[in-house]
Amino acid sequence: MSAFETPWATVNLGIELHHGESFAARSAEDGVPDEVLEVRSAAGVTGASVDEAARSAEGFVALSAESVLTGELAIGALVQPGLRRNPRRAHLLVSTVLGKHLPTDPRIVIGAGNRLADLVREVLGDREAVVLGFAETATGLGHCVAARIDAGCYLHSTRRHESRATTLTGFEEGHSHATSHLLQPAPAAIFANDLPLVLVDDEISTGDTAIDAVRALHAFAPRSHYVLASLVDMRTPADRTKFEAAAAELGARIDTVCLASGRTELPAGLIDTVTALPDPQLNPVATEPGSYGRIELSWPADVPEGGRHGILRADNAAFDVAVKSVADEVNTRLDAEFAGRPVIVIGHEELMYLPLRLAADLADAGTPTRFQTTTRSPAYVLDEPGYPLRRGFRFTAPELDPTAQRYLYNAQWPDADPVLLVVIDPPADTPELVAPGGLVDVLTASGADVLIAVLPGADPRALQAGRTVERVAGTASLSVSYSDSATSANAPSRKESTDSADGVGGSEHGGGASSVAAPQEPGAGPLPEALHGPAFGSYAPEDVSWLLKDLSDADLEADVTERERRIQAGVAHYAESLPVEFQPDAEYRELFDRVLADSAERLALAVATVAELVVAERGENVVLVSLARAGTPVGVLMRRWLVSGIGREPLTVPHYAVSIVRDRGIDAVALDYLARHHDPSSIVFVDGWTGKGAITHELTAALDDYHAAGGARFNDELVVLADPANCVRTYGTRDDFLIASACLNSTVSGLVSRTVLNDTLIGPGEFHGAKFYRDLIDADVSNQLIDTVTAAFGAISEQVPAAVAAIRNSDRTPDWSGWASVEKVRAEYGISTVNYVKPGVGETTRVLLRRVPWRVLVREADAPEHAHIRLLAAARNVPVEVVPDLAYSCMGLIKELPR
C-alpha cells in the first residue's frame, strides 16, 4: 500500500503532540534568580470553537468569529503535525490560529495575537518596550502583539534584500529553509536602544533559535530584559535546562510566555522516511481556468505598510485609517465583480499584518473571509483526511531571483468557490508574477478566480530622513517623531493613537532603567549601485551583480611589453591599466570548444562539491562574493547549482563580483555595500583557483584592515574551485587541471575586463572599475561555458555526496606546499621575485594571454590538458621546457625586462 493510499494515522509516521504542564511564574523567591528566566502560564482559545478547529480536516480553520481567548488550551487545538523535506527537521507544526498555511478567520488570528500580547503585558508591567517579530512566519503575529501593548516601535526581521535600506545587524536560524534574519530599522535608533525587547515567534521548538537571536542582539545592543512570546512552546526539559544556562550566561532577564506548551515526539529515522515518500502532488489543474484581475490600491507615501523598517506608535492611527480606506476600495471591486462570494485574502511571505487587517475589515463588513499567506518554506502536501496540508502550489518567486521557488498551501474553501485576493507590494509586482509557472498562472490553472491587489510601500530612505529620535531624560523611554519636512509631522500624539481599529488600547509606560547612547548609524553615506547585464557584462542579471564602476569609455589599454616594463620598474601598478586582450585564432577557439566539452562533467562535479561544502559548513543562507574576474564564472556556476534543486531543495543565493588587487587589498566600498545589504557572516568569498596562495594572504590582510578601521567583520576563508597550492580548506578539488574559464580572457568572463584601481578614475566612495567589452560580443563564450557545465549537473549529481564526504573526512589543513615549490623554481631559474612565477594551468594560461612570458615549464611533454598552452606558446614563440619533478602540472615564468 503506497503512502497515498494509507490513512493519515499511518502516514504521519508516529508524530505525536502532547500537552505540557502549566508553568507557573518563577522568581527569586523560588530559588531562581529573576534575571535568569521566568516562564508564565499558558492560556488560549476555549470552547466548542476549539474542538471544531481541531476536528477540521478541510485544510483551514473553522473557528467561529465569536470565539474568545480565555483559559487553558490544549496543544492540539493550536497546532497540527505536518511534514517537510528538510535535512535538519522533517516535521512541521502547522498553526491553526496563525493564518500562514491554513486559511483562517482573520479575527481569530488577531485574537490569538491579542491574548499573547496580554501575557506579555503582564510580564512588562507598565514599562515601555520594543517588539521584534521573526520573519517570515511571525511578522503579522508580532505586529498584533506590538499594537496590543502599544509598543513604541515594532520591527520585524526580513529576508528580503532591500537596496534602499541599511542592514543594522542580523542573526541566523539553524533549522529554517531560509536561515538569515536581517534587521533594517530606519533609522537605527528606533531599535538600537536599551528598552526591554519582546521577541515574537509562532513557536519555540528547542529554544536554540531564540537564544541565538538574543545572543546576537545582545552583543550588538545589550539590554537588561527580554521577553520571548510564542503561540506554542515545545521545549523538552533538556531544552529548558540548556535555555536557562544560556540565559544565565548572558546575565539578562529572559521571560517566556505562550498560549500553550507541549512536546513533540518524533520516531527514529523520520528524516529518511520523509525523504523516501513519493513526490507530493502540487499545482492542481482544473478543466476550466479561473479569471485574473488586478487592482492598484492607494496607500499614503509616508505611512509604513508594515514593520520591515519599523512602525512607530506615531504611525498607528494613520495606518488604521489607511487600512480602512484600502478595505473600502477592495469591497467596491468585490461587490462589482464577485458579489456574494467568500474571499481568501492571501498575503505574500513577510507581508502579513496589513493583509490580515484588510481581511478582518472585510469580515466585519459582512464578507465571508479567511486569511493566509505564501511562504518560502517547502512542506509535504498530502490529500488525506486529517492531514493539514491537503493541497499545495509551487511557483516561481516574483522577486529578483526568478529561479527560486515559493509555495502556497490549501487556499480553498469547503463547499464554496472563493475569490483569491492576493496582496503584494512593488518588489513582487514583476513579470514573473503572471508568467508561466508564476503565482497567477498556477492559481488560475486550478480554476480559482484571482484578484491581485498591489500595495505601494513606504520608501525606507524617506522614513529614515523624516524620523527623529529623542531619549527621554532619566528613563528608558523612546520618543520618536517626524521632522517638519515629513508629511507625518501632523501625526497624532501617543495618546491619540492608542484607539486602534481592532480595539487595542494602552497607556503611557515608563521604567526606571538608565538609558545608554544608541550606536552611531552605520552606512550613513550613499553607496554606488551594483551593475548588471546586459547593460554591463554578458551574464544574466540574476547570475551576478557587479560591484564595479563602469569604465568602458576610458582609454586604459597599453602595449603589453611597455606596460610590463613599467610594472617591473615600479613606476606603475598592474591594476592602473589594462593589457590589450589577446584574441586567439580559430584553431585555438576550436580547442576551447573541445576542452569545454571534455571537461564539463569534471568541472560540474568540482562546482557542486565546493558548493555543497559551503552549505554544509556555512549554512543555507549564504551570499557568494566572487573575486573578479577569475572567480566570477565559478561564482555563477556555484549559484546555478544551489538554485537548481538538483539533489537538494533549491536555495536563494545572491552572487556579487568584487575587485581585489594584490598589494592594494579588497575594494572597501564594495565591503560597505555588502555589509549594508547582508549579514557579513553570510558572505562567502569565491575564487577560481589558487596559484601560490598570494590572494589568500591578500584577502585575510585586507579584511583585517577593514575591520580594524571600524568596518564589519567578514569571514576571511577563501573558497576555490581548485586548490593545487594547498592553501585553503574549502575547495572542489586539489588537482591542477584545466578549468575552461582560464583558457580565454573577457570572452569567457562576461566580457568584463580585469579590475582597475586608478586614482584618476576611481574617486572616494566609488567601487573599483572595469570595462565592458561590448565590441567582443561576437566572440563571447561566457554563457556557453556556464550553460554547458550547468547541463552536466544532472549527470554528476549522484557523485556529489561521496565527493563532499571524501573532502570533509580528509586532512584539509593548508600546508602551503605550492608556495614552497614556487620558491624553489624562483631560486633555480634566478628569478628576482616570486611574482614572476605563475604556477598551475590557470596561471600559466594567463601569463601567455596577457603578460610577457619568458618560458613555460611542464611536467609532461604531451599532457592533453596542456594542448591550449602549447598552442599559445607557439603563437608567441615561448619555449616549453619539460621538468619531470615539477610540483604543479605546469608553470608560466614572466620575462624580466630591462628597466
Side-chain angles (χ1 to χ4, degrees):
M1 182 179 293
S2 73
F4 291 96
E5 298 169 336
T6 62
W8 165 234
T10 301
V11 177
N12 72 12
L13 308 173
I15 298 176
E16 295 182 3
L17 301 178
H18 299 272
H19 184 53
E21 300 294 331
S22 177
F23 290 90
R26 293 185 290 171
S27 65
E29 288 77 12
D30 301 316
V32 180
D34 62 4
E35 69 270 12
V36 176
L37 179 68
E38 185 177 333
V39 186
R40 290 300 176 107
S41 60
V45 186
T46 60
S49 60
V50 172
D51 296 333
E52 186 179 358
R55 290 195 305 268
S56 174
E58 304 301 333
F60 75 95
V61 175
L63 295 173
S64 71
E66 291 74 28
S67 298
V68 292
L69 298 170
T70 58
E72 183 87 8
L73 177 64
I75 197 73
L78 282 181
V79 291
Q80 297 175 347
L83 303 174
R84 61 180 178 179
R85 284 173 163 168
N86 185 308
R88 293 191 177 109
R89 183 179 175 190
H91 72 287
L92 175 71
L93 298 184
V94 180
S95 174
T96 62
V97 298
L98 184 66
K100 190 67 176 175
H101 299 87
L102 307 178
T104 309
D105 189 307
R107 292 161 294 188
I108 294 298
V109 179
I110 292 172
N114 286 349
R115 180 59 188 137
L116 185 61
D118 291 344
L119 297 176
V120 169
R121 177 50 69 199
E122 289 178 18
V123 172
L124 290 174
D126 63 353
R127 286 171 294 167
E128 172 76 285
V130 174
V131 178
L132 173 67
F134 283 21
E136 65 182 24
T137 307
T139 59
L141 179 65
H143 205 144
C144 287
V145 170
R148 179 75 164 187
I149 70 170
D150 194 31
C153 171
Y154 171 64
L155 179 74
H156 69 70
S157 63
T158 181
R159 287 167 176 146
R160 176 182 286 171
H161 301 289
E162 168 60 78
S163 61
R164 302 172 300 172
T166 296
T167 297
L168 179 66
T169 186
F171 54 91
E172 296 298 312
E173 182 176 359
H175 69 261
S176 174
H177 179 70
T179 63
S180 210
H181 291 255
L182 308 177
L183 300 186
Q184 299 179 339
I190 65 174
F191 179 78
N193 48 62
D194 65 337
L195 295 171
L197 178 62
V198 180
L199 298 97
V200 181
D201 207 353
D202 61 316
E203 66 169 283
I204 301 177
S205 52
T206 65
D208 289 346
T209 294
I211 203 66
D212 286 348
V214 170
R215 277 198 182 103
L217 296 171
H218 195 72
F220 179 79
R223 303 170 192 267
S224 60
H225 190 191
Y226 298 87
V227 180
L228 306 182
S230 63
L231 294 175
V232 296
D233 185 344
M234 308 299 287
R235 289 175 296 165
T236 65
D239 292 330
R240 293 178 183 275
T241 299
K242 182 172 61 173
F243 189 92
E244 291 182 23
E249 174 191 333
L250 288 174
R253 173 179 172 178
I254 304 180
D255 297 312
T256 64
V257 297
C258 61
L259 296 191
S261 62
R263 70 183 190 275
T264 307
E265 291 187 1
L266 304 175
L270 179 65
I271 292 175
D272 292 337
T273 307
V274 174
T275 301
L277 287 174
D279 289 339
Q281 299 174 356
L282 303 176
N283 296 353
V285 177
T287 55
E288 293 290 334
S291 65
Y292 160 57
R294 178 184 175 92
I295 179 173
E296 305 279 349
L297 300 177
S298 302
W299 190 262
D302 59 332
V303 177
E305 76 282 5
R308 182 177 283 112
H309 307 297
I311 187 164
L312 311 177
R313 181 184 294 110
D315 298 316
N316 288 342
F319 181 91
D320 294 340
V321 171
V323 168
K324 182 63 169 65
S325 177
V326 163
D328 290 343
E329 292 180 51
V330 171
N331 248 329
T332 299
R333 179 69 174 266
L334 292 174
D335 287 344
E337 296 186 23
F338 306 104
R341 288 175 59 182
V343 175
I344 300 178
V345 177
I346 299 173
H348 183 54
E349 295 183 34
E350 297 170 8
L351 184 60
M352 292 187 72
Y353 184 69
L354 194 153
L356 169 63
R357 289 286 304 277
L358 168 61
D361 275 17
L362 294 178
D364 288 343
T367 300
T369 307
R370 295 292 181 262
F371 163 75
Q372 68 172 123
T373 71
T374 65
T375 177
R376 293 185 176 212
S377 179
Y380 193 78
V381 170
L382 182 64
D383 190 14
E384 283 282 336
Y387 185 68
L389 306 172
R390 301 289 297 274
R391 190 169 75 148
F393 299 90
R394 180 173 56 210
F395 58 95
T396 302
E399 291 86 359
L400 179 62
D401 187 354
T403 62
Q405 299 295 305
R406 300 291 188 262
Y407 303 88
L408 175 66
Y409 299 101
N410 296 306
Q412 60 191 129
W413 194 297
D415 304 320
D417 181 22
V419 178
L420 303 186
L421 175 67
V422 182
V423 183
I424 62 170
D425 55 2
D429 187 21
T430 65
E432 285 75 23
L433 181 70
V434 295
L439 178 58
V440 171
D441 178 53
V442 300
L443 290 181
T444 54
S446 73
D449 292 322
V450 177
L451 180 60
I452 296 291
V454 183
L455 181 89
D459 187 331
R461 296 170 299 187
L463 294 178
Q464 176 143 332
R467 290 169 169 172
T468 59
V469 180
E470 297 177 0
R471 304 292 300 176
V472 179
T475 70
S477 184
L478 181 66
S479 175
V480 188
S481 61
Y482 285 86
S483 66
D484 291 341
S485 61
T487 55
S488 288
N490 295 321
S493 67
R494 174 179 178 179
K495 180 175 176 59
E496 291 169 333
S497 67
T498 55
D499 299 324
S500 64
D502 56 358
V504 177
S507 59
E508 299 208 13
H509 309 299
S514 62
S515 65
V516 297
Q520 183 179 359
E521 181 71 19
L527 290 173
E529 296 292 329
L531 302 175
H532 299 88
F536 184 87
S538 61
Y539 291 127
E542 64 270 16
D543 274 338
V544 61
S545 299
W546 300 92
L547 301 186
L548 296 171
K549 180 180 179 180
D550 188 354
L551 301 179
S552 300
D553 296 329
D555 185 10
L556 288 165
E557 286 75 15
D559 174 77
V560 172
T561 302
E562 179 57 26
R563 179 177 181 272
E564 189 71 43
R565 193 185 313 277
R566 289 175 57 79
I567 293 171
Q568 293 187 16
V571 298
H573 191 276
Y574 77 91
E576 293 174 344
S577 63
L578 294 171
V580 177
E581 295 218 346
F582 172 77
Q583 296 304 313
D585 57 19
E587 181 182 8
Y588 186 91
R589 269 297 313 275
E590 291 176 4
L591 176 62
F592 168 82
D593 292 339
R594 292 199 303 274
V595 166
L596 178 56
D598 293 343
S599 65
E601 290 190 7
R602 188 177 185 183
L603 278 169
L605 180 58
V607 165
T609 300
V610 71
E612 290 298 329
L613 272 173
V614 166
V615 170
E617 298 182 347
R618 299 283 293 273
E620 292 183 349
N621 185 69
V622 293
V623 177
L624 301 179
V625 178
S626 60
L627 304 182
R629 69 185 168 182
T632 302
V634 176
V636 171
L637 286 168
M638 289 176 66
R639 179 192 169 279
R640 286 276 187 101
W641 170 264
L642 293 173
V643 305
S644 69
I646 298 174
R648 61 150 46 255
E649 291 290 345
L651 303 180
T652 299
V653 182
H655 172 218
Y656 298 91
V658 304
S659 169
I660 188 169
V661 177
R662 195 182 70 242
D663 304 327
R664 302 284 181 87
I666 198 166
D667 186 345
V669 178
L671 294 181
D672 288 342
Y673 184 100
L674 294 170
R676 182 171 295 188
H677 291 82
H678 302 281
D679 179 356
S681 68
S682 70
I683 302 299
V684 178
F685 293 100
V686 175
D687 208 355
W689 55 85
T690 58
K692 299 181 292 290
I695 291 299
T696 308
H697 282 305
E698 190 77 43
L699 179 65
T700 296
L703 293 178
D704 285 346
D705 290 345
Y706 178 79
H707 181 60
R713 167 56 78 185
F714 290 91
N715 189 324
D716 69 342
E717 182 180 24
L718 183 63
V719 169
V720 299
L721 189 66
D723 179 36
N726 277 58
C727 64
V728 301
R729 291 189 68 260
T730 306
Y731 51 84
T733 179
R734 276 184 166 158
D735 294 341
D736 183 17
F737 80 105
L738 175 59
I739 298 172
S741 60
C743 290
L744 297 166
N745 281 314
S746 65
T747 53
V748 79
S749 302
L751 293 181
V752 174
S753 74
R754 66 170 304 146
T755 60
V756 174
L757 182 55
N758 184 320
D759 290 343
T760 63
L761 296 171
I762 309 298
E766 293 185 319
F767 296 138
H768 293 189
K771 297 184 74 168
F772 173 26
Y773 290 123
R774 296 174 177 84
D775 57 313
L776 298 179
I777 188 69
D778 291 340
D780 186 35
V781 293
S782 304
N783 287 296
Q784 177 187 339
L785 180 142
I786 299 300
D787 293 341
T788 301
V789 177
T790 300
F793 284 162
I796 56 88
S797 60
E798 294 184 357
Q799 304 173 50
V800 176
V804 172
I807 293 177
R808 297 193 75 181
N809 294 332
S810 68
D811 182 2
R812 298 152 60 192
T813 305
D815 61 14
W816 298 88
S817 55
W819 194 285
S821 65
V822 168
E823 283 283 4
K824 179 182 177 182
V825 168
R826 183 203 62 77
E828 289 179 352
Y829 283 83
I831 299 171
S832 63
T833 172
V834 291
N835 289 340
Y836 300 159
V837 181
K838 302 295 184 180
V841 178
E843 293 298 299
T844 301
T845 303
R846 296 207 292 186
V847 168
L848 291 165
L849 286 174
R850 65 185 189 215
R851 302 298 292 269
V852 178
W854 175 39
R855 67 182 62 194
V856 170
L857 311 181
V858 296
R859 196 161 49 200
E860 300 175 26
D862 300 314
E865 61 185 14
H866 295 163
H868 75 293
I869 288 176
R870 292 192 292 271
L871 274 179
L872 289 173
R876 302 194 64 180
N877 295 315
V878 177
V880 178
E881 181 179 331
V882 178
V883 182
D885 63 346
L886 200 64
Y888 293 80
S889 67
C890 62
M891 286 188 180
L893 308 183
I894 294 174
K895 185 175 182 179
E896 295 195 63
L897 302 175
R899 301 183 181 182

